[in-house]
C-alpha cells in the first residue's frame, strides 16, 4: 500500500483478508452442513438396518439348526415351533442385555469424562 491509500474491502491493513462472509456464502455453508448431516443420518440408518438384518439372519440360522432336527415337507411340528419361539426369545433377551450393558458403560464413561473435566450436571 502506498502512503495514503485506504485498505480495500475484505482486507486488513496487515495484508490478510477479513473474516466477512456474504449472506449467500453463509446460507451455502448452512445448506452444506444440513446436507452433510442428512447424509450422515442416512448412512447411520443404513448401517443400523444392515446390523439388524445380520442379527435376524444369525438368530434364524442358530434357531433353525438347534430346533429343526429333520427336514420334512410338512409344516413344523408343535415341539419345533415352541423350540424356535423360545430360542428366538432367548436370543432377543441376550441382545437386549448386551445393548443395556453397552449403554450403561457408555453413560458411565461419559460421566467419568465430565467429572474429570469438571463439568458436572446438578
Amino acid at each position: 500500500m502506498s502512503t495514503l491509500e485506504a485498505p480495500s474491502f475484505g482486507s486488513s491493513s496487515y495484508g490478510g483478508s477479513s473474516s466477512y462472509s456474504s449472506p449467500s456464502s453463509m446460507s451455502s455453508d448452512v445448506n452444506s452442513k444440513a446436507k452433510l448431516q442428512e447424509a450422515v443420518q442416512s448412512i447411520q440408518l443404513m448401517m443400523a438396518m444392515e446390523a439388524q438384518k445380520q442379527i435376524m439372519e444369525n438368530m434364524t440360522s442358530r434357531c433353525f439348526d438347534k430346533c429343526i432336527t429333520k427336514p420334512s415337507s410338512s409344516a413344523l411340528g408343535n415341539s419345533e415351533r415352541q423350540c424356535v419361539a423360545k430360542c428366538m426369545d432367548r436370543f432377543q433377551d441376550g441382545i437386549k442385555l448386551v445393548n443395556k450393558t453397552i449403554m450403561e458403560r457408555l453413560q458411565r464413561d461419559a460421566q467419568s469424562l465430565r467429572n474429570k473435566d469438571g463439568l458436572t450436571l446438578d
Side-chain angles (χ1 to χ4, degrees), residues 25-100:
S25 69
M26 288 170 55
S27 68
S28 175
D29 288 345
V30 170
N31 286 340
S32 295
K33 288 179 183 178
K35 286 180 182 179
L36 179 61
Q37 186 176 12
E38 187 178 313
V40 167
Q41 288 174 340
S42 176
I43 290 169
Q44 288 173 335
L45 179 61
M46 287 190 306
M47 289 173 63
M49 288 172 43
E50 182 61 29
Q52 191 68 26
K53 178 182 166 194
Q54 289 176 354
I55 289 170
M56 290 298 294
E57 288 174 358
N58 190 6
M59 179 175 54
T60 302
S61 175
R62 285 179 182 226
C63 292
F64 182 86
D65 290 345
K66 180 182 178 193
C67 297
I68 313 301
T69 56
K70 54 183 178 211
S72 71
S73 58
S74 63
L76 294 177
N78 193 33
S79 63
E80 291 172 324
R81 275 186 264 156
Q82 287 178 350
C83 179
V84 169
K86 287 179 182 179
C87 178
M88 293 177 88
D89 287 344
R90 283 193 303 270
F91 199 92
Q92 290 173 346
D93 289 343
I95 290 170
K96 288 177 188 175
L97 179 63
V98 168
N99 287 337
K100 179 182 175 195

Side-chain angles (χ1 to χ4, degrees), residues 12-29:
S12 70
S13 59
Y14 300 109
S17 63
S18 70
S19 62
Y20 173 77
S21 295
S22 70
S24 64
S25 69
M26 288 170 55
S27 68
S28 175
D29 288 345

